[in-house]
Amino acid sequence: MNRENNFEEIQPIPSATIPLPVAGKDMNSILKSLETGVENIFTGDKYAQYLQTMSKFHRYSFNNTLLIAMQRPDATLVTGYRNWQSMGRQVKKGEKGITILAPAPIKRRREQEILDQNHKPLLDADGKPRTEEVEVVIPRFKPTTVFDISQTDGEPIETLAPEELTEAVADYDLFMEAITAVSPVPIRFDEIAGEAKGYYHSGDKEIVIQKGMSESQTIKTAIHETGHARLHDKDIMEKQGIEKDRLTKEVEAESVAYCVCSAFGVDTSEYSFPYIAGWSSNRDMKELKASMDIIRKTAGEMIDELSDNLQERFAEKKQLLESVQKQKLIPAMEAAGYHFDELESTDGNLRFLPDGTHEIGGVMISDSWN
């Protein structure tokens, strides 16, 4: 995968917070805005825009992801006013916040039947079920206001993938190894008849990818088919009593692939969802939300697993490379008149001293043997 790494700080173009469709910050208004938002994301280019937001906020609930996408689609990191202050940043004057939902559980006391070890009610002397008063927690939510990092000034905060992870993603072989590791089935390459770039074989439990494609296309296809393997295995779906039509499977797999590729900076310009409006038009609100939540959860799991796997693999590769370089460097430095001081050296910094038998002029100073 050919990507040009540019680690210069790029100042984001200022944007304004978009008001929600239904005015008001009470729960009823927000829920109505969410219904409108669900209907609107399946039109035009809003679906891809929503998936981009989902890739950055995959640990958030579907409702909050959608609320952020509706109000500030270019957001990258959000938190409350006082949290920004605690991190050394201040919300800029005049900035309008983003409304999301925060947990606000309430406690209630109620009578509950006492059960025996077989989970059957214990009876009193009159044969009536015995009860006791218990405290239960009832989930509730309340509107709260957060701000994106672009709406603040102050101490720098690392918001994107660390530099090492960025380098690892740019390494095609490393990235493919990571995808293969998180795939629930083996991945192999072969000649595929027709136009298909790849497929998941539910019977053979394997992913097959077309040989000879570009690195970028191979990665996209591998992630897409891994989405199928995680979500649409025939045996698992039958066991869980799940039925999905072919278009739903494609929508879910392609959406997962778009989110994961977007999270790792893989080119997504070729992605399009021309069929999304027709697919969504035949489904009710509950079904649409369920599919979106499945996409969010699956993409989020893959993003987290790939991140961990890539970091481990990159660290191992870097350690191996340093070991090879060290084996070459030490003899070369000794031949040039330096003695390797092993006791004062560390993995990242090697110390060399004149051996006393060669004439050496000047001073050599280096922070790292690299």
Side-chain angles (χ1 to χ4, degrees), residues 134-162:
V134 296
E135 186 176 78
V136 295
V137 178
I138 303 172
R140 290 284 189 275
F141 294 88
K142 66 177 183 179
T144 189
T145 301
V146 295
F147 297 86
D148 182 52
I149 188 170
S150 64
Q151 298 176 275
T152 67
D153 286 321
E155 294 296 323
I157 294 175
E158 188 177 356
T159 60
L160 302 176

Side-chain angles (χ1 to χ4, degrees), residues 310-361:
L310 278 168
Q311 286 176 324
E312 289 177 10
R313 289 176 184 276
F314 187 73
E316 290 173 1
K317 184 173 181 178
K318 188 176 180 182
Q319 188 175 21
L320 179 61
L321 180 62
E322 289 179 351
S323 177
V324 172
Q325 290 175 334
K326 180 179 176 181
Q327 291 174 11
K328 293 179 180 179
L329 180 65
I330 293 175
M333 292 296 290
E334 289 179 340
Y338 287 88
H339 169 67
F340 175 47
D341 187 354
E342 189 171 0
L343 293 177
E344 294 297 326
S345 297
T346 62
D347 288 340
N349 296 275
L350 305 186
R351 178 181 172 90
F352 293 91
L353 301 172
D355 62 7
T357 61
H358 292 73
E359 183 179 341
I360 300 173

Side-chain angles (χ1 to χ4, degrees), residues 13-21 25 66-75 78 91-100 144-152:
I13 300 173
S15 61
T17 303
I18 304 167
L20 288 170
K25 290 197 174 183
L66 182 55
L67 285 169
I68 294 170
M70 292 167 69
Q71 298 170 85
R72 201 115 188 167
D74 59 345
V78 301
V91 174
K92 300 173 188 176
K93 187 175 181 180
E95 289 287 349
K96 294 186 177 180
I98 305 163
T99 301
I100 63 171
T144 189
T145 301
V146 295
F147 297 86
D148 182 52
I149 188 170
S150 64
Q151 298 176 275
T152 67

Side-chain angles (χ1 to χ4, degrees), residues 1-16:
M1 180 167 47
N2 296 321
R3 295 176 60 225
E4 181 179 344
N5 292 328
N6 183 356
F7 300 112
E8 293 181 8
E9 185 176 358
I10 300 174
Q11 295 297 329
I13 300 173
S15 61

